[in-house]
Amino acid sequence: MKQTETASSAFHRLRVVLVETSRPGNIGSVARAMKTMGFSDLVLVNPRFAGACQHEEAVAFASGAQDILAAARIVGSMAAALDGINFTAAVSARLREFSPPVVTPREFAGQLAAGAELRAALIFGNERFGLPNEIVEPCNVLVNIPANPDYSSLNLAQAAQVLVYECRMAALDGQRAASPVGFQGEAASATQIEGMYEHLEQALVEVGFLDASNPRKLMPRLKRMFARAGLETEEVNILRGIARQVQARSRKD
């Protein structure tokens, strides 16, 4: 089935981000998985070997998807990888105490297909260590593949294939019309939300609600709470305005 090629199509609104990938073959295999499902935006964060996209193993495993490798970008930080993104999804088999809301691949794909304003990133971690908490906690959702609990071992490319397949099926066959009820603003970007967290943390420290030397789990809990909300740009601005007022009052006192 031929995909719909429009500016708002899910095929143009999904980015795959690979973090500190160890094996060049896995990068090539992910590129192949993406191309077979009609996606092309691939970003690598600090791959653990030089010339990641030109490595002979990556090219061999791409098996005809060399154009995806050639267009892939290599960046040195998550902030750069998520530039222009307003919906982030960490892919992990390991659930965390303070994770964002947990969804299945199909649920994530449905959200992507239904939200024409969403510019989403699927974030995959290192083959051995996965994703660290500091990357997972600020994400909007954590995608967990409901595999066999007695043997849930999926390699990086297999996990990517499952996700991009579900996204393709949702984009082609399972689009849900966005609800016309109520105001819907522009989803806040990952950069805007991270800036809001930093600002909020500063304000909480200044008023003595957060002990910087012993923060415990306050910020991870707040990040989880806001992740459930699906913040819009105006809502982030409101929260930062509140933080500014809190700081101003604190400094007067």
Side-chain angles (χ1 to χ4, degrees):
M1 184 183 297
K2 186 174 177 61
Q3 66 219 46
T4 303
E5 293 287 349
T6 65
S8 62
S9 168
F11 297 103
H12 296 291
R13 293 187 288 105
L14 180 67
R15 179 178 302 166
V16 174
V17 177
L18 305 183
V19 180
E20 296 186 357
T21 313
S22 296
R23 295 290 303 274
N26 285 331
I27 293 176
S29 294
V30 169
R32 179 179 182 178
M34 292 172 61
K35 185 168 184 176
T36 58
M37 294 297 134
F39 298 95
S40 59
D41 189 359
L42 176 62
V43 175
L44 313 178
V45 181
N46 295 323
R48 295 191 170 187
F49 48 90
C53 295
Q54 294 79 38
H55 194 284
E56 60 180 2
E57 185 178 290
V59 173
F61 277 67
S63 188
Q66 285 86 351
D67 55 328
I68 307 298
L69 291 180
R73 288 169 289 130
I74 298 177
V75 299
S77 68
M78 286 303 299
L82 299 179
D83 183 41
I85 295 296
N86 60 21
F87 191 81
T88 50
V91 182
S92 177
R94 180 166 64 90
L95 302 180
R96 331 287 172 107
E97 181 182 5
F98 293 103
S99 84
V102 179
V103 299
T104 65
R106 192 158 297 175
E107 289 169 332
F108 167 79
Q111 288 178 281
L112 176 67
E117 80 288 355
L118 293 183
R119 298 178 300 280
L122 280 170
I123 306 169
F124 296 85
N126 172 266
E127 297 93 329
R128 183 176 177 185
F129 303 108
L131 288 169
N133 289 339
E134 57 264 29
I135 290 179
V136 174
E137 287 173 356
C139 286
N140 296 97
V141 295
L142 186 151
V143 182
N144 183 260
I145 298 173
N148 176 6
D150 296 324
Y151 187 73
S152 58
S153 176
L154 285 170
N155 68 29
L156 176 58
Q158 289 171 331
Q161 186 73 77
V162 170
L163 266 298
V164 293
Y165 167 78
E166 290 290 352
C167 289
R168 179 177 181 81
M169 294 307 295
L172 293 177
D173 303 320
Q175 292 185 8
R176 297 174 295 177
S179 172
V181 179
F183 173 77
Q184 291 183 320
E186 179 183 358
S189 70
T191 301
Q192 291 171 326
I193 292 174
E194 188 57 35
M196 181 270 290
Y197 287 143
E198 292 174 1
H199 196 171
L200 182 60
E201 184 173 3
Q202 292 168 5
L204 294 175
V205 169
E206 289 189 27
V207 297
F209 190 80
L210 174 62
D211 182 353
S213 63
N214 187 26
R216 297 182 183 274
K217 302 291 182 65
L218 178 61
M219 289 310 298
R221 286 184 185 277
L222 288 175
K223 289 177 180 181
R224 181 174 65 172
M225 178 179 73
F226 286 123
R228 290 198 300 268
L231 291 171
E232 297 173 356
T233 298
E234 187 58 32
E235 292 166 342
V236 166
N237 292 337
I238 290 170
L239 288 167
R240 294 197 71 160
I242 293 172
R244 280 192 294 272
Q245 288 299 313
V246 168
Q247 288 175 307
R249 293 293 180 90
S250 173
R251 291 164 186 172
K252 284 182 181 179
D253 296 340

